[in-house]
């Protein structure tokens, strides 16, 4: 079962074909989504009616392309805005958390660490409803007491950002803390000996060292936010992000426009993934 | 090493973490528990009681759906393990160098794309006018369109596909750490391939199997998109019940009780899985 040991050729053939079949299974759904974005037909299905770019650039109903679909373009913007907010917030809090768990000693540290991991094992839909219930409770309480209506606590962008932030921060913390663990703290001491203040040492020595992890955590946060569905579904207001808009459209019936958006999403995520791999490679060299 | 030295410094570094965990995780869940223990007796009038939980146990539709969701998630976990194990073994032990890296990255690709896109791909493949149905007609196996969507098998295909990555990554990691010479020793002592698999490979892979299974089970249990889109109206998935209590019927008390039941089952499985394998949450995630 390992290359150094001779194996019955028939078993080997069966095993190899199984692995090939597995990768076909992995690739199949994504490939059909991509291919049917170019089919000149009103439905993403066979027969093949010829190649077209109308599902990207078409200007007239029902041949309206993605780039001219207001509803989809607006929701891409909404998603990007949410992803950016979540990403920045989680890098910020994740970095501070990394310092807390790697550099400080305090009572209940182990307990707090486990508590910090919990958001990863809570189903996303439960995170969503619990935040919905609580924010509604606070908003109603404030309204009963003072008569003010706090719009941010009703379903909408703020709650979506908070909901996604609530579990993505755990991942950011883990990624950044893993890097901080590898840091040689004598570098900071050298900076202090040369007359730097603590803040200067952190700013000029430690943070640049953490940068690859911070970028990596930021990209993972962007991707996870962009594709999040469960938590977002419970907290969404009138400004729907892309996954929600696509879900609604899919329930109405699928059109090749959805294939075109999906293809754009695939290209976008692979580009981001490549950026991340590139950052990690250049980090290994230095 | 620079870190918080004074009490004030520690409090400052700890405050973002505490703020995040208390306002977005702990208090919302306590509030949800509180809401689930309220019974509606009139307009904005409530009484403390276990009525919402009693409804769950007395209404067969609810606990049948709950049991069905749990059962299907267990099946999905077992299938993912059975399908993913040979491939993980191939990546960890048989493929070498560049091929190994490439195959491993290929397993990651579907994860970078939104779950919605993956599910959409399966819809295009499986539906009555879909690619597989057309292929079967073209090849003469069937002589009329076949509908493969909107049944339990379709849900299973989607769940296994969506969670494959979370099984393969921990399996490859643990199998990678198995020394080839142990397998060679087994062969030298005359053991059959099956005996080696049973006595050397699988015992070594137990931590990976447990981690992967926990994550896959949890994700399947909390999944909403895949069962709804691939199973259609008859999907009967528990997250769908939670959603309809919250959004369609506006019965938050009942929905919160359902949410807690789902959270309870999910936490129980995570806890039992960790206990059985002698692992801790901090070790598994970190």
């Amino acid at each position: 079962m390992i290359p150094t040991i001779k194996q019955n050729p028939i078993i080997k053939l069966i095993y190899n074909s199984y692995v090939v079949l597995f990768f076909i299974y992995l690739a199949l759904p994504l490939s059909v989504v991509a291919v049917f974005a170019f089919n000149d037909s009103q439905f993403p299905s066979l027969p093949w009616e010829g190649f077209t770019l109308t599902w990207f650039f078409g200007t007239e109903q029902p041949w309206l392309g993605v780039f001219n679909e207001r509803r989809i373009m607006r929701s891409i913007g909404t998603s990007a805005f949410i992803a950016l907010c979540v990403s920045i917030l989680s890098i910020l809090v994740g970095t501070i958390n990394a310092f807390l768990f790697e550099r400080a000693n305090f009572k209940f540290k182990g307990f707090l660490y486990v508590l910090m991991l919990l958001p990863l094992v809570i189903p996303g839909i439960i995170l969503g409803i619990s935040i919905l219930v609580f924010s509604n409770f606070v908003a109603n309480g404030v309204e009963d007491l003072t008569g003010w209506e706090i719009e941010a606590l009703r379903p909408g962008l703020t709650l979506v950002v908070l909901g996604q932030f609530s579990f993505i921060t755990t991942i950011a913390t883990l990624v950044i803390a893993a890097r901080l663990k590898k840091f040689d703290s004598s570098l900071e001491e050298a900076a202090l000996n040369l007359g730097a203040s603590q803040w200067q040492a952190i700013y000029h020595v430690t943070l640049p060292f953490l940068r690859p992890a911070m970028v990596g955590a930021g990209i993972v946060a962007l991707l996870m936010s962009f594709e999040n569905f469960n938590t977002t579904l419970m907290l969404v207001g009138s400004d729907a992000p892309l996954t929600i808009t696509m879900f609604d459209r899919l329930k109405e019936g699928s059109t090749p426009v959805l294939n075109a958006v999906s293809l754009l999403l695939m290209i976008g995520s692979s580009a981001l993934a490549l950026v991340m791999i590139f950052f990690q490679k250049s980090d290994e060299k230095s | 090493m620079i870190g918080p030295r004074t009490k004030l410094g520690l409090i400052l570094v700890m405050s973002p973490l505490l703020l995040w965990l208390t306002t977005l995780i702990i208090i919302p869940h306590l509030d949800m528990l509180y809401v689930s223990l309220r019974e509606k007796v009139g307009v904005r009038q409530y009484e403390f009681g276990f009525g919402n939980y009693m409804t769950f146990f007395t209404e067969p539709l609810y606990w049948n759906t709950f049991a069905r969701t749990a059962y299907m998630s267990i099946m999905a976990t077992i299938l993912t393990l059975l399908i993913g194990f040979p491939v993980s073994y191939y990546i960890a032990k048989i493929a070498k160098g560049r091929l190994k890296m490439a195959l491993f990255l290929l397993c990651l690709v579907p994860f970078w794309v939104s779950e919605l896109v993956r599910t959409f791909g399966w819809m295009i493949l499986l539906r009555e006018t879909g690619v597989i149905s057309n292929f079967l007609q073209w090849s003469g196996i069937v002589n009329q369109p076949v509908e493969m969507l909107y049944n339990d098998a379709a849900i299973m295909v989607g769940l296994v596909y969506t969670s494959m990555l979370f099984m393969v990554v921990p399996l490859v990691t643990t199998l990678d750490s198995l020394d080839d010479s142990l397998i060679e020793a087994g062969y030298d002592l005359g053991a059959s391939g099956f005996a080696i698999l049973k006595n050397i490979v699988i015992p070594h892979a137990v931590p990976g199997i447990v981690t992967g299974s926990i994550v896959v089970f949890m994700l399947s249990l909390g999944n909403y998109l895949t069962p709804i889109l691939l199973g259609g109206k008859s999907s009967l998935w528990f997250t769908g019940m939670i959603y309809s209590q919250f959004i369609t019927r506006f019965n938050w008390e009942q929905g919160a009780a359902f949410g807690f039941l789902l959270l309870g089952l999910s936490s129980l499985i995570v806890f039992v899985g960790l206990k059985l394998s002698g692992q801790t949450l901090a070790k598994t995630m970190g």
Side-chain angles (χ1 to χ4, degrees), chain B residues 80-89 171 175 197 201-202 205 209:
Chain B
T80 314
L81 177 63
L82 289 180
I83 296 173
F85 194 88
V87 176
S88 311
Y89 186 85
L171 281 181
L175 287 173
L197 188 69
V201 179
I202 291 180
I209 294 175

Side-chain angles (χ1 to χ4, degrees), chain B residues 14-58:
Chain B
M14 206 188 279
S15 53
L17 178 90
L18 291 181
L19 201 65
W20 158 44
L21 290 176
T22 46
T23 59
L24 291 176
I25 307 293
I26 299 169
I27 300 179
H29 280 85
L30 291 177
D31 193 31
M32 192 169 84
L33 180 66
Y34 166 72
V35 169
S36 77
L37 291 171
R38 279 192 326 191
E39 285 172 44
K40 208 169 193 161
V41 288
V43 180
R44 294 198 88 173
Q45 278 188 315
Y46 300 99
E47 248 172 38
F48 177 85
F50 291 92
N52 299 314
Y53 291 92
M54 291 309 291
T55 314
F56 170 77
F57 288 106
T58 49

Side-chain angles (χ1 to χ4, degrees), chain A residues 4 15 18 26 103 189 223, chain B residues 1-2 83 86 112 161 184:
Chain A
T4 48
Y15 193 13
Y18 174 78
L26 273 197
R103 296 295 179 83
E189 267 138 44
L223 286 170
Chain B
M1 210 158 69
I2 300 174
I83 296 173
W112 291 116
Y161 186 82
E184 284 163 353

Side-chain angles (χ1 to χ4, degrees), chain B residues 88-191:
Chain B
S88 311
Y89 186 85
Y90 192 92
I91 294 175
K93 287 278 155 250
I94 294 176
K96 296 280 173 239
R98 270 174 181 245
L99 178 67
K100 180 177 179 149
M101 243 352 251
L103 290 182
F104 190 62
L105 282 179
L106 268 179
C107 285
L108 302 187
V109 167
F111 173 71
W112 291 116
V113 183
S114 165
E115 190 186 348
L116 197 81
V117 177
R118 290 175 247 163
T119 312
F120 183 38
W122 280 110
M123 289 172 77
I124 296 177
L125 285 169
L126 296 177
R127 78 166 125 231
E128 208 174 348
T129 54
V131 176
I132 294 179
S133 169
N134 267 291
F135 177 77
L136 290 178
Q137 286 174 79
W138 171 81
S139 62
I141 297 174
V142 294
N143 46 23
Q144 58 186 40
V146 252
E147 176 69 278
M148 278 171 281
L149 213 52
Y150 311 126
N151 57 44
D152 288 0
I155 298 181
M156 208 49 100
V157 167
L159 285 178
V160 169
Y161 186 82
T162 289
S163 20
M164 190 50 78
L165 161 95
F166 300 96
M167 188 62 91
V168 168
V169 170
L171 281 181
V172 169
T173 317
T174 45
L175 287 173
D176 231 358
S177 68
L178 172 65
D179 197 335
D180 281 1
S181 56
L182 288 175
I183 300 175
E184 284 163 353
Y187 270 104
D188 291 345
L189 292 170

Side-chain angles (χ1 to χ4, degrees), chain A residues 70-81:
Chain A
R70 278 253 186 82
R71 196 168 141 210
I72 288 178
M73 288 321 274
R74 198 184 312 126
S75 67
I76 291 180
T78 311
S79 276
F81 175 75

Side-chain angles (χ1 to χ4, degrees), chain A residues 83 218-228 268-270 272-273, chain B residues 112:
Chain A
I219 290 176
V220 171
L222 277 180
L223 286 170
M224 291 192 75
S225 161
F226 222 91
E227 71 167 58
N228 181 267
S269 346
S270 357
L272 274 176
Chain B
W112 291 116

